Amino acid sequence: MGKKSGKKRHGLLKAAAAGIGIAAAATGGEIAYFYRRTMKRGKAKTERTIKMAGTDWNQYMDLIQERKTAMLARPHSDLWQESYDGLKLHATYFPTEAAEKKKIVICFHGYTSQGLADYIGLSDYYQKRGFAMLLPDARAHGLSEGEYIGFGCLDRKDALVWIDWVIKELGEDVEILLHGTSMGAATLLMLSGLALPEQVKGIVSDCGFTSPKEVFTHVLHSMYHLPSFPVIPGADVVNRRLAGYGMDECNAKREVEKATVSILFIHGSADTFVPCSMCDEIYEHCASPKRKLIVEGAAHAESYYKDMESYEKELTEFIAETMG
């Protein structure tokens, strides 16, 4: 009886161990699957991002195409700079023919997008007002090198490279406005906590998030009805090893507590991808002069197209305050 009982117990332990092994393998597989689809170049797809964001861009396509044609008809050129960690970074530069004081907007695009994509609509606004435009491709996006997406945590260091290029190219008297959308906005909010050159006069944050950890947790909960554990902590470990940063290592709401440059926050009330509550939270933490525009009914990154009049009015007033 004792031998049988011992064998039975041994068999149960083996089965339990096997079950734990299978569960661990399944969890590891889920983490790897999530990580590849969200953090790696070529696996994070624009089409999937658009679908998750839920914005209906078809209704604006005629306007976007019209402005794209006008934008690309203007003189422009490709630029290349090296990142702090040796990546070749790309940007498209649109100079201005305006004779008045030198001013430029550096525009930072969203997740899985590229420099020339997110500012087609706003190119009309900026170019008519005498702004030169610099449109960088974030690392692991567009023509820029990189295998792992920086989610603002690494991209903020790349932004300093482009700011430095502008000052050297256009002179010490240049005035710089920084404009970011989604991941690009998070990049600039994270950048705001660093010491910035005096030429940087203001930051425009359109639908920025707090950190990759918090936005991914929101997406898992709201869209997939899944718990963040163990996927997010597991992805954080993998990302630290492969990309070199933690997914909450740089958080916009903490960085803006150190900000000195003025910030205009814009967000759509109907944004389900990056909830409007994130904008409110970051705004409350912001230590520098600030303004906020919430566009009613606008989905993710839709605010400009949803209410162009209010968006441009707020932007014009902000520029008047910060750049004179």
Side-chain angles (χ1 to χ4, degrees):
M1 189 74 177
K3 285 185 179 180
K4 287 183 179 179
S5 178
K7 286 181 179 179
K8 185 176 181 182
R9 183 180 178 188
H10 180 67
L12 290 172
L13 287 173
K14 282 182 70 177
I20 291 170
I22 291 168
T27 298
E30 289 172 2
I31 293 169
Y33 178 72
F34 171 81
Y35 188 82
R36 283 195 305 271
R37 283 168 60 93
T38 56
M39 307 299 289
K40 286 198 70 176
R41 182 186 202 118
K43 301 294 183 182
K45 302 292 187 182
T46 305
E47 297 79 11
R48 188 163 62 243
T49 303
I50 292 172
K51 185 177 180 180
M52 286 193 298
T55 307
D56 178 15
W57 291 109
N58 290 327
Q59 60 187 313
Y60 306 118
M61 276 304 157
D62 288 345
L63 174 63
I64 290 171
Q65 189 55 52
E66 177 186 325
R67 292 199 173 179
K68 182 178 181 179
T69 300
M71 179 185 186
L72 294 179
R74 295 174 180 265
H76 58 280
S77 58
D78 293 315
L79 299 177
W80 304 91
Q81 293 288 299
E82 186 173 313
S83 71
Y84 73 95
D85 53 351
L87 297 177
K88 192 176 181 182
L89 302 176
H90 171 263
T92 307
Y93 176 53
F94 290 81
T96 179
E97 297 176 357
E100 60 263 27
K101 66 182 181 181
K102 291 179 284 186
K103 54 187 180 180
I104 185 171
V105 58
I106 311 178
C107 302
F108 296 84
H109 65 77
Y111 176 56
T112 70
S113 189
Q114 55 185 305
L116 280 174
D118 286 7
Y119 291 89
I120 292 169
L122 275 161
S123 65
D124 181 75
Y125 174 88
Y126 281 121
Q127 291 176 332
K128 283 181 177 177
R129 286 162 179 79
F131 277 84
M133 298 184 73
L134 183 64
L135 308 172
D137 290 338
R139 60 175 54 216
H141 290 75
L143 297 180
S144 290
E145 292 182 342
E147 185 176 0
Y148 300 102
I149 296 171
F151 276 101
C153 302
L154 300 181
D155 305 297
R156 69 174 185 162
K157 299 177 183 178
D158 299 334
L160 290 173
V161 172
W162 293 115
I163 291 170
D164 184 58
W165 178 87
V166 164
I167 296 170
K168 288 177 179 176
E169 180 69 18
L170 299 184
E172 295 287 333
D173 58 339
V174 68
E175 294 189 349
I176 301 171
L177 181 67
L178 306 176
H179 195 138
T181 301
S182 192
M183 187 183 78
T187 295
L188 298 181
L189 296 173
M190 293 174 186
L191 176 69
S192 72
L194 303 178
L196 296 174
E198 63 180 13
Q199 288 83 359
V200 176
K201 302 302 182 183
I203 290 172
V204 181
S205 168
D206 187 336
C207 61
F209 54 77
T210 49
S211 74
K213 175 187 175 182
E214 292 183 358
V215 78
F216 287 147
T217 297
H218 165 75
V219 168
L220 284 173
H221 287 170
S222 65
M223 297 185 183
Y224 295 100
H225 308 293
L226 294 173
S228 59
F229 184 86
V231 173
I232 299 299
D236 181 71
V237 171
V238 175
N239 202 54
R240 286 179 185 274
R241 180 166 55 86
L242 296 179
Y245 70 94
M247 295 175 71
D248 197 52
E249 184 176 307
C250 191
N251 189 304
K253 68 187 175 194
R254 295 196 297 266
E255 292 303 311
V256 297
E257 291 175 348
K258 300 174 281 184
T260 56
V261 66
S262 298
I263 303 176
L264 167 59
F265 294 87
I266 301 173
H267 217 104
S269 68
D271 192 336
T272 57
F273 193 45
V274 177
C276 194
S277 58
M278 279 195 182
C279 176
D280 295 334
E281 187 177 11
I282 301 168
Y283 180 85
E284 290 303 318
H285 279 75
C286 182
S288 62
K290 56 193 176 182
R291 298 173 67 110
K292 181 168 64 171
L293 171 66
I294 302 301
V295 178
E296 290 301 319
H300 187 65
E302 189 190 17
S303 292
Y304 178 69
Y305 295 94
K306 189 74 172 180
D307 189 351
M308 198 175 294
E309 183 179 352
S310 295
Y311 197 113
E312 291 191 353
K313 179 177 180 293
E314 193 71 25
L315 194 52
T316 299
E317 290 177 3
F318 180 70
I319 290 170
E321 286 178 0
T322 57
M323 304 180 77

